[in-house]
Amino acid sequence: AWELWKEGTPLALLDPTIGQPFSRNDVIRCIQMGLLGVQENPALRPTMATISLVLNIYSVTLPMPQKSACFHRDRTPLVEHAN
């Protein structure tokens, strides 16, 4: 999700079987909220009150998400051992 957001193609996350119609802006806001919810620093994550407000009042502006915690850690692949 982060890579697609960074590339400016977050709608590529959608399952094509969902079909139309859907609000492009609503989907992007939901993806943005999801990415904000996995920020490494908990203080940067939106509260449930903020999420509720955003879902009910469209004029609320969300901050841009930063990389999630999983992108800040060592991404060395696990090595499987054959027995």
Side-chain angles (χ1 to χ4, degrees), residues 29 53-54 56-62:
R29 282 175 68 83
L53 188 65
V54 168
N56 290 300
I57 303 173
Y58 194 77
S59 63
V60 174
T61 303
L62 289 169

Side-chain angles (χ1 to χ4, degrees), residues 5-82:
W5 180 269
K6 192 171 68 169
E7 293 168 5
T9 58
L11 293 178
L13 285 169
L14 287 180
D15 184 333
T17 62
I18 291 175
Q20 295 281 347
F22 62 83
S23 167
R24 182 182 187 281
N25 289 337
D26 287 346
V27 171
I28 291 172
R29 282 175 68 83
C30 287
I31 293 168
Q32 185 176 3
M33 283 187 284
L35 289 171
L36 287 169
V38 295
Q39 300 300 285
E40 184 167 27
N41 182 346
L44 297 177
R45 299 174 191 161
T47 63
M48 288 306 297
T50 299
I51 295 297
S52 179
L53 188 65
V54 168
L55 291 173
N56 290 300
I57 303 173
Y58 194 77
S59 63
V60 174
T61 303
L62 289 169
M64 294 309 264
Q66 299 174 12
K67 283 186 182 179
S68 68
C70 65
F71 278 90
H72 290 285
R73 293 192 177 100
D74 183 14
R75 295 183 52 140
T76 305
L78 296 175
V79 177
E80 293 185 29
H81 298 284

